[in-house]
Amino acid sequence: MNTHLNLSQLGWRTFFQQQVTLDELETTLIARVIAYHRDHFIAQAENGCHKVQHHSTQSPLTVGDWLLLKQHEQHWLYYRLLERLTVLSRKGAGSKLTEQLIAANIDTLFIVSSHNKDFNLSRFERYLALAHQSGCTPVVVLTKRDQCEKPEQHLAPLAELDRHLIVLSVNALDNLSIEQLRPWCSSGQTVAFVGSSGVGKSSLVNGLSELPVATTAGIREDDSKGRHTTTHRALHVLEGGALLLDTPGVRELQLADCQHGVELAFSEISELTEQCRFADCYHQQEPSCKVQQALQQGRLLPPARAWL
């Protein structure tokens, strides 16, 4: 991470500025969490990087958070967490209904899949609901275009899933091809990549970076899956000034609170449900069900999974 960045280059904006009092501007240091380790965080300010100890009694932190630090002798200590503009989270692994923070203050979420057996509409639905719930802008990136005879076969289903969805089809090993991602990677913007292991996230990261920041691994030919290569969460500066959250593939993806995200991801269906005769319509055999009418008339495709 470049240690000589101003606040604007780190993603600072009016939303955060309005949360800081005049007294705090004079007595605290504004910093952003850029890396997470088992027992501490690394936060970057305009004067460099600082190790921040965090206790369980304090507000949970994640990569991308904005903090106020106070100086004590020769150290900067955690003072206050600023309200997040966006927050990416999921249920903790296993059966416990605990929320696990993934990242905060992400502007664009690149949802990465590939033009092979990894393509799965159900997974896209979960990721889209996750993005909308968090407040991030979702952009789908389909990789391995060069290995697919008919890449357009995957574009139509995604368009039907969400007519406003931005979908990019790329060859992650071709720098000219991945230039399609640049409009979302300007200075001060924060982006993240999610998707299964082996779909090309690390190759995209390295293609967008001046220097390699992620390792890559090959694909297993028997199931078109790759070997997992990213094992930590941290922010990196891309060529052009965007901040990249480099994160492991999100396993066991479930939504901690999906209702609002589902409504946004599938706004067309949500609008239809409000027109049903019965407020408690299950959209099955009920009379005057607008969702079923739209399905029968071909104005709406059946969802890839039963989310209703």
Side-chain angles (χ1 to χ4, degrees):
M1 185 80 173
N2 185 349
T3 57
H4 301 288
L5 297 175
N6 59 41
L7 291 182
S8 178
Q9 292 171 318
L10 284 169
W12 185 257
R13 57 194 61 181
T14 304
F15 175 82
F16 306 113
Q17 182 76 33
Q18 293 173 339
Q19 301 178 47
V20 185
T21 67
L22 291 176
D23 180 66
E24 287 174 331
L25 285 174
E26 296 177 354
T27 60
T28 64
L29 181 69
I30 299 170
R32 191 175 191 188
V33 176
I34 63 169
Y36 165 74
H37 299 279
R38 183 165 298 181
D39 59 350
H40 69 278
F41 290 83
I42 300 297
Q44 180 161 350
E46 289 186 320
N47 65 355
C49 294
H50 304 278
K51 180 178 179 180
V52 179
Q53 299 291 344
H54 183 261
H55 303 288
S56 58
T57 56
Q58 298 171 318
S59 300
L61 299 180
T62 189
V63 176
D65 273 331
W66 281 99
L67 309 176
L68 298 182
L69 307 178
K70 274 202 170 183
Q71 191 168 22
H72 176 70
E73 297 178 349
Q74 301 300 315
H75 304 284
W76 289 95
L77 304 179
Y78 171 84
Y79 173 67
R80 184 164 74 86
L81 168 68
L82 298 185
E83 180 184 349
R84 298 166 176 128
L85 182 60
T86 66
V87 58
L88 199 60
S89 65
R90 63 164 184 164
K91 287 183 181 179
S95 59
K96 293 184 179 180
L97 297 180
T98 56
E99 183 181 15
Q100 177 183 350
L101 296 174
I102 299 174
N105 303 312
I106 301 298
D107 298 302
T108 301
L109 184 68
F110 288 112
I111 302 171
V112 186
S113 183
S114 60
H115 285 291
N116 59 21
K117 295 178 183 179
D118 180 73
F119 187 89
N120 185 301
L121 280 180
S122 294
R123 187 182 300 126
F124 281 117
E125 289 177 349
R126 295 197 298 273
Y127 277 131
L128 286 173
L130 178 72
H132 286 299
Q133 181 67 36
S134 72
C136 304
T137 297
V139 175
V140 169
V141 183
L142 297 178
T143 61
K144 309 186 191 302
R145 180 184 177 90
D146 57 312
Q147 300 176 24
C148 183
E149 293 183 0
K150 297 180 179 180
E152 61 276 2
Q153 67 184 324
H154 296 136
L155 304 183
L158 288 169
E160 296 289 353
L161 194 64
D162 183 345
R163 62 181 182 273
H164 301 298
L165 182 63
I166 299 170
V167 182
L168 308 177
S169 179
V170 305
N171 173 6
L173 301 179
D174 181 353
N175 288 340
L176 183 61
S177 180
I178 65 175
E179 285 297 311
Q180 297 178 67
L181 280 66
R182 290 291 181 191
W184 295 273
C185 299
S186 58
S187 179
Q189 291 292 302
T190 304
V191 301
F193 290 77
V194 295
S196 302
S197 299
V199 296
K201 297 190 302 295
S202 295
S203 296
L204 289 172
V205 169
N206 290 334
L208 291 168
S209 307
E210 294 180 352
L211 298 172
V213 296
T215 57
T216 61
I219 293 288
R220 299 197 301 264
E221 295 298 335
D222 57 338
D223 57 6
S224 298
K225 294 182 179 179
R227 293 184 290 273
H228 186 68
T229 54
T230 309
T231 57
H232 67 286
R233 291 196 295 271
L235 281 176
H236 304 283
V237 180
L238 299 179
E239 183 180 3
L243 298 166
L244 164 78
L245 175 73
D246 193 17
T247 180
V250 182
R251 305 181 189 88
E252 297 187 39
L253 179 63
Q254 300 177 44
L255 301 181
D257 180 14
C258 68
Q259 184 58 40
H260 180 59
V262 166
E263 290 175 354
L264 289 175
F266 307 105
S267 57
E268 184 176 0
I269 300 179
S270 296
E271 292 172 3
L272 289 171
T273 62
E274 295 178 357
Q275 302 172 29
C276 292
R277 176 186 294 181
F278 302 106
D280 59 349
C281 183
Y282 285 95
H283 317 298
Q284 301 295 328
Q285 304 298 324
E286 291 81 3
S288 299
C289 173
K290 298 302 181 182
V291 174
Q292 285 298 323
Q293 289 180 11
L295 287 170
Q296 294 168 8
Q297 295 169 5
R299 293 184 290 110
L300 185 67
L301 287 182
R305 65 184 176 93
W307 64 273
L308 293 172

